[in-house]
Structure formats: C-alpha cells, structure tokens
Amino acid sequence: MNKRFNIELFDETEVKALPIHYKTLEYFEDFVIDNILSEFKIILNSKWTYNFGIFFDSTDYKNIPEHIKTFDGIEKGLVILPPNTFSKEQIKGYSIQFFISKIRDNPNGEFIGFCEMMLDFIETFFELNYKKISKSDFKNIRNKVDWNYLKSLKYPADLKEQYIVGNEKTAYNNV
C-alpha cells in the first residue's frame, strides 16, 4: 500500500531548523495512519497523497503579524496554509509553519515542544477537514502517544540522523 500521509521538514535559510531525528517524523506518520486514517477510514483509499511540509518560522509567536492571524492553526502557534494540488502526481501539498520561538519556550524543552506542536497540527488539520473527527476524539488520540518512545530518540539528533528536505547533507536515504 502506498503511504498516503507524509511529513517532511524543510530548512529555511534565516532559521536553523531543529535537529529532529528522522524517526520522530516516521513515528508521527505511522501514528496518524494507525490512529486516525485507519480508525476513521479516511485518506487511505484516496487517489491522493497528502504531503505536509513543515517550515520553522523565525517570527516570535507572541508578536504575530496581522497578515498571519487569519490562518488556520494560529491559535495554537502554527499556520496551515491552503494546499497546493499537483493533479498529475495526485499530491495535495500543505505547508505548515511552526513558530520556533513557541517550540523553544516550551517548559518541557524544545523536543517535547516540537512533538506537542506536531500533535496540535495533526488535531487542527483533521478537525478542520474531516467533520467526523471531533475534539473529544482527539483527547483519546493524544492519550495514545508513546511519549517514552519519543523521549528515547536522541535530541539533538546527529546530523546523519536528521532529515531536512533541500539539504542533502542531512537527508537520510531509506535508513
């Protein structure tokens, strides 16, 4: 079966991306497939692949510019931009901005801040786009996160264990 849900990190030149281990992204992809797509019977049989590109934004989330305040997810300190549709490739590409200052301000540390923002993004995206998934469903879904596994991943990850699109030095190759 083709993977219908992909998450990628992108390096933004003015912000140094967080050193996230590639297994973190794999965990969240599998988590979404197992706990949302399979559970609610969505996307898996679609002809479309959903690609989510995460960019780290250097804007301080406490001082978000007016032009950003209307985007979905902003109340949780992230921005989900409208999709780009690539019909020939059957891909719906979403760009998501994570405010790096919010991640770094997390009292539990940067890595947990990143993971919590991933959950916020996943919740916001699916609640907005799939009406059969509710806030109460997400309370149960969040309880299924294996925090022990996530905390076992090395952070900061070594350069060879990171995956950032557009930076060949940090992209892993089917590790």
Side-chain angles (χ1 to χ4, degrees), residues 18-82:
L18 295 178
I20 303 295
H21 198 289
Y22 74 89
K23 288 185 179 183
T24 308
L25 299 180
E26 288 179 350
Y27 174 81
F28 280 108
E29 289 172 347
D30 292 342
F31 181 83
V32 166
I33 291 167
D34 295 343
N35 295 289
I36 300 172
L37 306 188
S38 296
E39 184 74 24
F40 292 94
K41 298 175 180 32
I42 55 174
I43 296 178
L44 292 176
N45 295 321
S46 172
K47 69 178 184 175
W48 296 94
T49 297
Y50 290 72
N51 284 343
F52 295 87
I54 296 175
F55 297 85
F56 295 108
D57 193 319
S58 60
T59 304
D60 186 344
Y61 73 97
K62 295 173 188 167
N63 301 309
I64 297 170
E66 286 300 317
H67 72 280
I68 294 178
K69 289 183 179 178
T70 60
F71 286 101
D72 291 331
I74 200 67
E75 71 282 354
K76 293 184 179 179
L78 57 101
V79 174
I80 303 172
L81 300 172

Side-chain angles (χ1 to χ4, degrees), residues 48-160:
W48 296 94
T49 297
Y50 290 72
N51 284 343
F52 295 87
I54 296 175
F55 297 85
F56 295 108
D57 193 319
S58 60
T59 304
D60 186 344
Y61 73 97
K62 295 173 188 167
N63 301 309
I64 297 170
E66 286 300 317
H67 72 280
I68 294 178
K69 289 183 179 178
T70 60
F71 286 101
D72 291 331
I74 200 67
E75 71 282 354
K76 293 184 179 179
L78 57 101
V79 174
I80 303 172
L81 300 172
N84 292 311
T85 303
F86 306 93
S87 298
K88 186 176 177 184
E89 296 85 3
Q90 296 182 321
I91 294 173
K92 290 186 181 185
Y94 292 83
S95 295
I96 300 96
Q97 291 174 262
F98 278 25
F99 292 100
I100 202 155
S101 59
K102 180 166 182 157
I103 293 170
R104 290 190 171 135
D105 284 352
N106 190 294
N108 297 316
E110 268 183 10
F111 181 68
I112 298 302
F114 172 80
C115 292
E116 288 175 355
M117 283 195 77
M118 282 297 300
L119 289 169
D120 288 345
F121 149 63
I122 291 165
E123 180 177 353
T124 302
F125 175 79
F126 284 101
E127 281 182 5
L128 287 172
N129 292 291
Y130 295 91
K131 299 304 176 202
K132 64 179 166 178
I133 303 175
S134 69
K135 284 198 180 296
S136 63
D137 291 325
F138 267 96
K139 285 182 184 178
N140 295 329
I141 291 167
R142 280 181 180 263
N143 288 333
K144 295 177 183 179
V145 173
D146 186 348
W147 287 104
N148 289 330
Y149 172 75
L150 288 170
K151 289 175 183 177
S152 75
L153 298 174
K154 186 174 181 186
Y155 185 85
D158 294 333
L159 196 57
K160 67 181 180 173

